[in-house]
Amino acid sequence: MEIIEILREASDRIYENVKHLAGTDHAAGDFGIGAGGDVSRNIDIVAEKTVLDYLKEINFECIVLGEECGRVDLSENPKGYVIMDAIDGSANAVRGVPFFCSSLAFATEDKLSSITDGVITNLDNGDTYWASKNKGSFFNDVKIQVHNKDPIYKIIGINTSGASKELMRRMDAIFENHNHHTRHFGANALEMAFFARGYMDIFIDLRDKIRIQDIAAGYLIVKEAGGLLLDANLKPLDADLSYETRVSFIAASNQEILNEIMSHINEC
Ligand code: IPD
Ligand code: CA
């Protein structure tokens, strides 16, 4: 079985197991602080267990790096890492806001740049975004590309959750500009998938807060859809897979929109 098929099957199983949970009291149950540093909710635990059970069932030899469960070695001879955010957008999922997803990626080394496969599943409806290295990005079975025409409305995705005053001040000019329709939906991985599908012209997260689990699958899906994916210094995004690592990134559909938006971000 191809790795992408394994990740897709695991994602489908998450959807089946959590689709009736969102917004219920049962979703919210508190399981203490997870490996990623946030409170693990019952819906997170159900989703992670689904993946772990499936990988064990098929004897997939790997190391799992889960946002809640931490590192789980499923073999002494692992083929690589499964980077798992079983529920991205947990706050939305617990409240029942229909914007949350799973994010599963496979990396051969301890580096984002070694990711070969990624799957993001919209857990509100089961839609799947997926990519394998050098094979393109797909929405269900349709190939997707970032938006490359001159947009009628410029949609600028910006993650502002918990952003510092200083960062908000640096981005003032973006918010003030009437041609920029800014958006923030609350599940970074699904926002990266939406960007890859052409729903946004640029998606920015400069908070230095995002974990590897939240962006691993999106990393490949954005790149395979033809997006530019850069760090805060406008260098190609890369990072190790450690639990301490936090990144900032900019996903842009082309150099022109990147230049335009960066010209509105002050250094200060
Ligand atoms: C969160 C979401 C959210 C982002 C937070 C993340 P989680 O992931 O991606 O959009 O603003 O920084 O922690 O905690 O729901 O997996
Ligand atoms: Ca999560």
Side-chain angles (χ1 to χ4, degrees), residues 38-39 44 48 67-68 84-90 101 211 213-214:
D38 291 342
V39 171
D44 297 312
E48 277 203 344
E67 192 172 285
E68 319 300 332
M84 164 169 77
D85 188 4
I87 303 286
D88 184 53
S90 297
C101 64
R211 287 172 294 246
Q213 278 78 9
D214 299 308

Side-chain angles (χ1 to χ4, degrees), residues 38-39 44 67-68 85-92 159-162 184-191 203 205 207 209-211 213-214:
D38 291 342
V39 171
D44 297 312
E67 192 172 285
E68 319 300 332
D85 188 4
I87 303 286
D88 184 53
S90 297
N92 283 350
N159 193 330
T160 51
S161 183
H184 174 216
F185 301 106
N188 226 300
L190 195 50
E191 286 161 291
F203 179 57
D205 185 347
R207 302 168 304 149
K209 282 178 192 275
I210 205 76
R211 287 172 294 246
Q213 278 78 9
D214 299 308

Side-chain angles (χ1 to χ4, degrees), residues 4 29 32 62 66 72 77 84 91 124-126 128 165 173 185 218 234 257:
I4 192 69
C62 66
V72 180
N77 297 303
M84 164 169 77
D124 180 53
N125 59 15
T128 296
K165 277 190 205 155
F185 301 106
L234 303 185
I257 186 86

Side-chain angles (χ1 to χ4, degrees), residues 1-124:
M1 203 172 177
E2 302 263 359
I3 287 172
I4 192 69
E5 296 308 326
I6 293 173
L7 300 185
R8 288 188 72 180
E9 175 62 24
S11 309
D12 288 350
R13 290 185 181 208
I14 296 175
Y15 176 59
E16 283 307 314
N17 286 350
V18 307
K19 66 183 179 193
H20 300 302
L21 263 183
T24 67
D25 288 348
H26 194 44
D30 184 337
F31 280 75
I33 301 292
D38 291 342
V39 171
S40 301
R41 299 289 166 188
N42 189 43
I43 194 167
D44 297 312
I45 301 295
V46 169
E48 277 203 344
K49 184 173 180 319
T50 303
V51 177
L52 288 168
D53 286 352
Y54 173 62
L55 296 179
K56 286 178 198 162
E57 181 188 316
I58 61 166
N59 294 317
F60 186 56
E61 301 205 276
C62 66
I63 295 165
V64 179
L65 301 175
E67 192 172 285
E68 319 300 332
C69 64
R71 175 180 170 134
V72 180
D73 289 64
L74 292 182
S75 165
E76 281 173 7
N77 297 303
K79 297 186 210 305
Y81 302 88
V82 171
I83 310 162
M84 164 169 77
D85 188 4
I87 303 286
D88 184 53
S90 297
N92 283 350
V94 167
R95 292 295 298 268
V97 178
F99 195 89
F100 60 102
C101 64
S102 57
S103 166
L104 299 177
F106 182 80
T108 51
E109 314 282 337
D110 179 24
K111 281 269 165 205
L112 272 182
S113 51
S114 79
I115 291 175
T116 59
D117 299 273
V119 178
I120 293 170
T121 293
N122 180 339
L123 296 174
D124 180 53

